[in-house]
Amino acid sequence: MDVDRRTAHVCVRPGRTASVRHARPDSGKKPMKRVFGAVMPALLAAAPAAHAQSVSYDEVLRAAVAGQPQVRAREFELEARRGAADAADELPDPRLRAGVRNLPVTGPDLLDPTMMTMLEVGVEQEIPNLAERRARAGIASADVDFANAQLAHSRHMARLGAGHAWVELAYAQRALLVADEALTEISELVPVARSAVASGSARPGESLEIRRAVLEVEDAKTVIEADREAAQARLARYISAEAPLARGDTPSADVDPQHLRSTLERNPEIILAAAQIQQAQAEIDLARSEKRPDFGVSASYGLRERQFGDVFTVMGSITLPLFGKHRQDPLIAAAEADARAARETREDRLRQLKAQLETDLAAWRSAHRQWQRAREELLPLARDRADLEMASFAAGRAELLDVIDAIKALALLEIEILDREQAAVEAAVKLRLTYTEHAL
C-alpha cells in the first residue's frame, strides 16, 4: 500500500478525525463534484423536515401547559368549583304548599263540610344555622383550593413530560449528526481500499472491513432513529405537532441541591396534600354544625266559605339535636379521623418527596460524573488515536484497517458520550422541573 499512501492527502476536520482523499490530476474540478454529491443527499433528507415544526425547550414547556387536554380538563373543573362556591352558603329554596285542610270524612259534618274545610296555600322556608352555612361555604372554598392544586399538579406533570421528551429528541438529533459524519468519513476510504486491492498491496478481504465498519455505525444509527421517532411521538402529545424537531440549546446539566431541598414544602404534591387537609377540616366544621339547631318558618292562607271568613297562619320550627351521642358525635369523630389521615398523608408525601429528591440527586451526580469522565478523558484519547493512526497511515507505517477502526471507535464513543450527556441533562431537568419550577 506504499503507492496509495504516497498519493493520499490527509484532511483533518475540527473536532473530528482526519479523512483521506486521493489526489487526482483533475483535482480542481472533482472536489467540487464530491462536495456537491455529499451535500445534496443531506439537503434532500432535510427537505421533509423543513415542513416540521421546530420548537425550543422553553417553547415546549409553555405549549405543554397551554394546550394539554388534561390541563384544560382541570381548568374546567376549577371553573365548576368556583361556580358552585358562589351558592354554597345560600338558603335552601323555599317550598310552596297547597291543598285542602279540615275535610271531614266521618261524623255529623260529613255532608256539610263548609264550616271547617278550606283551601290552603302557603310557603315554607328552611333556615340552617349560621355555623352550618359557614361550614358549607368553607367546604366550597376548600374544593376550589383543591381544584386549583390539581390544576397546578397537572401543569407540573405536563411540563415534566414535555421537557423530558424534548431533551430525548434533541440528543437523538445530535447523535444522528455524529453517525452521519462517521459514515461519510468511512465512505471516503472506499477509493483508497479499492486502489490498494487493485495494486496488490492489500488483500481483497480488507475491503470488506470497511463495509463491516459501515454496518456497525448504521446499526447504531438505526437505534438512534428509533429513539428520535419515539421522542417525537411523546413530544407530539404535549404540543400537538407531527414530527416536531428540537431547536436551540439544551438545558444546563447543573443544579443547586441546597435550593432544591428548600423548595419541597411548595412542591405541587405537597400543595395538593395540604388542600386535602383543608377539605377534611371543612368536613369537621360541617359535622359539628349539626349539633346546633336549624330553624324554619312557614306562612299560609286558607280560603273558607264567605260566611266564615278566610284565615292566615304563621308557624315557626326548630330542630332538636337531643341525641348527639348517637347521631352527631359519631359523624364528628369520623370527620376528625379523616382529617388526621389527611395530615399523615401529607407528612408521608413530604418524606417520600425528600427521599426521592436524594435518590434523584444521587442519580444526577453519577450521570454527571460519568459524562465528565468520558468527555475529559476518554474522548481526547480516542481523538488522539484516530489522528495518530491517520498520520501513521499517511506516513506508510499503519494499515488502512487501523484507520477505519479508529474512525469507527471514535464515532461510537462520541455517540456514547452523547448518551451520557443526555442522562446528565435529563437528570438535571427532572430535578429542576420536579422540585423547583412549581409556580405555574
Side-chain angles (χ1 to χ4, degrees):
M1 296 180 64
D2 294 337
V3 176
D4 293 295
R5 294 192 183 102
R6 287 194 298 269
T7 60
H9 289 281
V10 179
C11 177
V12 180
R13 300 182 181 180
R16 291 289 299 173
T17 185
S19 59
V20 179
R21 296 190 179 96
H22 278 289
R24 297 182 180 178
D26 55 346
S27 58
K29 298 180 180 180
K30 293 296 184 180
M32 182 59 68
K33 292 183 178 180
R34 287 197 298 271
V35 171
F36 183 77
V39 171
M40 280 306 296
L43 293 178
L44 292 175
H51 302 285
Q53 179 180 355
S54 59
V55 289
S56 67
Y57 177 73
D58 292 334
E59 290 172 345
V60 161
L61 295 185
R62 289 193 295 269
V65 173
Q68 191 53 231
Q70 184 178 8
V71 173
R72 290 200 299 270
R74 293 292 179 262
E75 290 173 345
F76 288 132
E77 290 178 359
L78 176 59
E79 182 181 350
R81 299 289 81 76
R82 285 173 174 169
D86 293 337
D89 60 347
E90 296 293 327
L91 291 175
D93 290 333
R95 180 177 300 173
L96 180 64
R97 185 180 64 191
V100 178
R101 183 183 289 273
N102 299 329
L103 178 64
V105 294
T106 61
D109 297 328
L110 175 61
L111 301 177
D112 186 17
T114 57
M115 185 168 56
M116 298 180 57
T117 303
M118 59 183 170
L119 297 176
E120 187 176 85
V121 179
V123 63
E124 297 178 355
Q125 177 65 62
E126 295 180 2
I127 306 175
N129 65 77
L130 185 59
E132 180 179 348
R133 293 175 61 188
R134 289 177 177 174
R136 293 193 182 281
I139 289 178
S141 177
D143 289 342
V144 171
D145 292 341
F146 182 73
N148 202 14
Q150 283 186 314
L151 174 59
H153 185 266
S154 295
R155 289 173 175 172
H156 167 76
M157 297 305 296
R159 287 164 62 89
L160 184 59
H164 182 74
W166 189 93
V167 170
E168 286 184 331
L169 177 58
Y171 278 95
Q173 292 175 185
R174 290 176 58 180
L176 282 176
L177 293 177
V178 173
D180 288 337
E181 187 175 354
L183 289 174
T184 300
E185 292 187 5
I186 295 175
S187 298
E188 289 175 350
L189 298 177
V190 173
V192 179
R194 290 176 178 173
S195 298
V197 173
S199 63
S201 58
R203 299 188 306 275
E206 293 183 2
S207 62
L208 300 178
E209 292 299 323
I210 296 181
R211 181 56 184 163
R212 180 178 178 180
V214 169
L215 289 176
E216 290 187 27
V217 179
E218 285 181 344
D219 285 343
K221 180 180 177 180
T222 299
V223 174
I224 297 170
E225 288 175 340
D227 293 340
R228 180 193 61 184
E229 293 174 1
Q232 286 177 326
R234 284 190 289 270
L235 187 58
R237 171 193 173 188
Y238 299 100
I239 64 174
S240 299
E242 294 184 3
L245 297 177
R247 184 188 74 245
D249 297 332
T250 56
S252 172
D254 297 324
V255 297
D256 183 356
Q258 191 60 34
H259 175 66
L260 296 177
R261 295 186 180 97
S262 67
T263 62
L264 291 180
E265 293 284 349
R266 301 188 302 275
N267 188 271
E269 291 281 351
I270 305 305
I271 294 176
L272 189 62
Q276 291 175 321
I277 295 176
Q278 185 178 351
Q279 284 182 315
Q281 187 62 47
E283 292 290 345
I284 293 177
D285 295 338
L286 180 61
R288 288 174 177 172
S289 71
E290 296 295 332
K291 299 194 76 171
R292 298 187 179 186
D294 296 329
F295 302 92
V297 62
S298 64
S300 62
Y301 189 87
L303 300 176
R304 300 197 300 175
E305 290 294 333
R306 183 176 302 177
Q307 65 270 27
F308 298 109
D310 299 339
V311 294
F312 179 74
T313 304
V314 177
M315 298 289 292
S317 64
I318 184 173
T319 60
L320 301 176
L322 301 177
F323 305 99
K325 182 178 180 181
H326 301 286
R327 294 177 181 174
Q328 288 82 17
D329 290 348
L331 297 178
I332 295 173
E336 290 175 344
D338 287 338
R340 289 193 296 270
R343 286 191 289 268
E344 293 298 329
T345 298
R346 180 192 179 278
E347 180 63 24
D348 180 70
R349 288 185 181 179
L350 182 58
R351 292 186 181 185
Q352 182 179 3
L353 200 63
K354 290 179 180 179
Q356 187 61 48
L357 172 59
E358 298 304 324
T359 301
D360 292 340
L361 283 172
W364 166 75
R365 283 191 291 265
S366 175
H368 199 275
R369 289 170 183 169
Q370 291 183 50
W371 169 45
Q372 286 184 323
R373 189 179 299 115
R375 181 186 60 182
E376 297 172 1
E377 300 179 19
L378 296 179
L379 183 58
L381 293 176
R383 285 176 175 171
D384 290 343
R385 179 199 170 194
D387 292 340
L388 291 174
E389 293 290 355
M390 185 62 68
S392 299
F393 174 74
R397 296 193 300 270
E399 298 294 333
L400 179 60
L401 296 182
D402 298 328
V403 177
I404 295 172
D405 184 67
I407 294 174
K408 179 192 68 177
L410 176 59
L412 296 179
L413 178 61
E414 288 182 338
I415 293 174
E416 179 185 349
I417 291 175
L418 280 177
D419 289 340
R420 295 189 182 190
E421 181 181 353
Q422 176 183 344
V425 172
E426 284 182 345
V429 165
K430 179 182 179 182
L431 286 167
R432 287 195 295 270
L433 292 180
T434 302
Y435 304 103
T436 60
E437 297 181 12
H438 48 265
L440 305 177

